[in-house]
Amino acid sequence: MSLHCLRLGACLAALALTLSVSSSSVLLEEDIRSAAQRSERPAAASGTLMMESVPAMLPEPDPRPVLTQEDVDQALAEVMEDFTAAAVSVATVERGQLSQSGAWGWAVKDEREMTPDTKMRVASLSKVVVAMCAMAMEEEGLLDLDAPLSDYWGPGVRNPYSKGQPSARTLMTHTSSLRDLETTRGLSRLQSLLRSAYSWRSMEPGSWGYWYYSNFGVCVLGTTLELACNGLLEDYLQAHILQPLGVDASFFAETLAPEQLAALYTTGGVGRSIAEQIAQSTPTQIGQSASYFPGGFTASAVDMAKLAAVLANDGVYKTPIYSYVETASDEEQGLVRVVLRMMEPQYIQTRILSEASVEAMETPYFTVDPVTSTPFEQCLILRRQEDILGQDVLYYHTGSAYGVFTLMTYNPDTQNGVVVLTTGAPRSTDERGLYSLCASLSGKLYEKMDRGGPNQPAA
């Protein structure tokens, strides 16, 4: 299987991009990316390339990324000599901005190859998306992370065995005192469970000694956010996070185009086909989406890297601004040859979360010892480890479902990060509790990124 390297557009801040273009309309960033991916001619260049909304253009020192496309391709090739999978996609963040991406394998076996923009269910990386929504709602005053759940669900929702009461914050640290029930959906069903004494453990919410990773707890968390904003979390996510980032992703795979999706493979067959993914009904009422929140977000490696970039860059997403220089023209064919270069050091900067919100997400509450792997520090959904994958510190989350194994990591000091999505790989973890294929690829890319200075913080 040959490597796929389809994403060249605005991600490649280190490279000059040469394009042949028609001379009749405005050349936008999305046109360039699509043309680079499909080898089509974009519309004509005319001036500086900018997004439709420009909050700010601010100078930054030495923004050039270190990674090249060859680095990503080489890392994928080396890793896949030691691992098997149906498909792998990867995207990187350098100095707080999306940089490179690549893919290997099949989105649909023997029919459609995997690309960095192919979308798949990212499993428990979905929890990071829910957490980002929670922080955004707190900033708006829609949610109080420390208010008892009964403020949103009604007075009957409480732990009858504890003095303190569970909150969104305790759900985000997996210390809510809820039993780890099966994931479910439906507001009335969830209310019934939360009003039952059986659903609660005899412990004080927030007690680290009773930490228990809970998918059901994230069903409750996401629905609490829906009650707080009086609407679907999907709608809030689209308006406040995904649309400003230009991300086409969703908790509801059925709303995405089938040709965008990957089939989810296990080592023995198909974990979930594309037909099964798009056959699901789209929720329309509060609570109907609950079972999607722990692991149902569907996105590409590039999409998830944009979210990682927001966290690595203290809540801001940076898009480099490009300009072009006309070098030659052919009037008979109606073509203009241009060289596209980043206007260093200028960016469009879009704030998604406040710096305080990101700091809160990154604050460790206690250490969890999984026994079978290295202890980690539990933050708000995120986890933290030191001296990992060649980095002084990484915040991260893993995910697994239907044959998918995923890993999102970032270093807040260097503002570098890596997202790896896989399907059809064997279930194997390293001593740090990370899925082996994902960790191996991430480690190689961090090593290559560190060529710009080992663990050197961004200025």
Side-chain angles (χ1 to χ4, degrees):
M1 174 61 57
S2 62
L3 295 173
H4 260 14
C5 325
L6 300 180
R7 190 172 187 85
L8 297 179
C11 307
L12 305 188
L15 301 179
L17 178 62
T18 302
L19 298 172
S20 293
V21 299
S22 162
S23 57
S24 59
S25 59
V26 177
L27 181 61
L28 297 176
E29 182 264 354
E30 186 65 30
D31 295 324
I32 296 166
R33 181 170 65 247
S34 298
Q37 290 172 336
R38 302 190 302 265
S39 299
E40 295 175 355
R41 289 185 299 159
S46 177
T48 301
L49 305 175
M50 303 179 67
M51 293 173 64
E52 294 180 3
S53 175
V54 185
M57 295 190 311
L58 301 175
E60 292 284 344
D62 190 22
R64 292 182 297 270
V66 172
L67 284 178
T68 66
Q69 189 65 59
E70 183 180 1
D71 288 330
V72 177
D73 297 343
Q74 182 182 28
L76 273 165
E78 290 174 355
V79 167
M80 296 316 297
E81 289 179 357
D82 299 323
F83 292 93
T84 60
V88 180
S89 60
V90 60
T92 58
V93 174
E94 293 182 75
R95 292 174 170 85
Q97 63 174 308
L98 185 66
S99 61
Q100 298 287 358
S101 60
W104 182 98
W106 297 99
V108 180
K109 286 185 178 180
D110 300 322
E111 293 183 19
R112 177 159 49 86
E113 294 181 324
M114 191 69 176
T115 79
D117 291 300
T118 303
K119 302 178 191 300
M120 69 167 66
R121 183 186 179 108
V122 300
S124 286
L125 301 192
S126 306
K127 295 177 174 68
V128 179
V129 180
V130 175
M132 293 177 73
C133 288
M135 304 313 296
M137 285 189 192
E138 186 190 40
E139 289 180 25
E140 288 191 71
L142 296 173
L143 177 74
D144 181 346
L145 290 180
D146 296 307
L149 293 183
S150 58
D151 282 8
Y152 305 98
W153 290 83
V157 173
R158 59 183 303 274
N159 183 340
Y161 308 115
S162 65
K163 295 179 181 178
Q165 287 303 309
S167 64
R169 191 183 302 275
T170 63
L171 288 168
M172 294 170 75
T173 58
H174 299 287
T175 59
S176 66
S177 73
L178 276 170
R179 294 182 183 275
D180 188 33
L181 306 177
E182 291 293 322
T183 57
T184 189
R185 70 179 76 180
L187 188 59
S188 60
R189 170 62 176 161
L190 288 165
Q191 285 176 325
S192 177
L193 288 170
L194 294 177
R195 288 170 177 163
S196 169
Y198 171 79
S199 300
W200 300 93
R201 292 185 290 168
S202 180
M203 60 168 278
E204 286 299 314
S207 172
W208 66 269
Y210 289 89
W211 178 91
Y212 194 88
Y213 185 79
S214 176
N215 285 316
F216 177 71
V218 180
C219 291
V220 176
L221 173 63
T223 307
T224 302
L225 301 187
E226 292 191 323
L227 292 168
C229 73
N230 193 31
L232 295 184
L233 184 59
E234 168 76 8
D235 294 340
Y236 184 91
L237 169 65
Q238 294 291 341
H240 290 76
I241 297 178
L242 300 188
Q243 290 176 8
L245 295 178
V247 167
D248 182 19
S250 177
F251 277 112
F252 311 142
E254 62 272 18
T255 65
L256 302 172
E259 61 270 18
Q260 292 180 294
L261 302 175
L264 309 182
Y265 294 99
T266 66
T267 54
V270 179
R272 179 166 285 189
S273 69
I274 292 176
E276 289 175 310
Q277 294 175 62
I278 63 176
Q280 299 181 87
S281 59
T282 303
T284 58
Q285 297 179 359
I286 291 174
Q288 288 181 343
S289 312
S291 59
Y292 292 77
F293 300 140
F297 190 61
T298 299
S300 69
V302 169
D303 296 332
M304 294 306 299
K306 288 186 175 183
L307 297 177
V310 169
L311 297 175
N313 200 43
D314 296 328
V316 170
Y317 185 71
K318 301 194 301 184
T319 305
I321 299 173
Y322 288 81
S323 67
Y324 73 88
V325 178
E326 182 176 325
T327 61
S329 62
D330 186 332
E331 295 182 1
E332 291 184 2
Q333 297 186 26
L335 297 177
V336 177
R337 188 168 182 80
V338 301
V339 174
L340 184 66
R341 292 190 178 93
M342 195 179 88
M343 292 179 63
E344 299 182 58
Q346 293 180 336
Y347 293 93
I348 300 164
Q349 301 207 27
T350 305
R351 181 163 289 283
I352 302 299
L353 293 175
S354 70
E355 186 173 349
S357 289
V358 176
E359 182 180 1
M361 286 184 67
E362 294 175 345
T363 300
Y365 283 79
F366 48 83
T367 298
V368 176
D369 187 354
V371 180
T372 57
S373 61
T374 304
F376 61 84
E377 293 177 290
Q378 178 68 61
C379 307
L380 290 182
I381 293 294
L382 294 173
R383 299 176 178 183
R384 180 183 186 275
Q385 284 195 49
E386 296 181 356
D387 299 320
I388 179 173
L389 299 183
Q391 303 299 292
D392 290 341
V393 62
L394 286 179
Y395 288 90
Y396 69 98
H397 210 288
T398 62
S400 66
Y402 302 102
V404 167
F405 297 108
T406 61
L407 176 63
M408 169 195 280
T409 61
Y410 70 93
N411 182 331
D413 297 328
T414 62
Q415 296 182 319
N416 294 341
V418 183
V419 172
V420 181
L421 310 181
T422 76
T423 182
R427 185 184 186 93
S428 171
T429 57
D430 64 9
E431 71 281 357
R432 294 288 189 155
L434 310 179
Y435 295 113
S436 300
L437 192 165
C438 300
S440 179
L441 181 55
S442 297
K444 285 182 180 294
L445 292 171
Y446 277 120
E447 182 179 2
K448 291 177 183 292
M449 282 188 273
D450 285 343
R451 293 181 312 203
N455 292 323
Q456 184 176 8

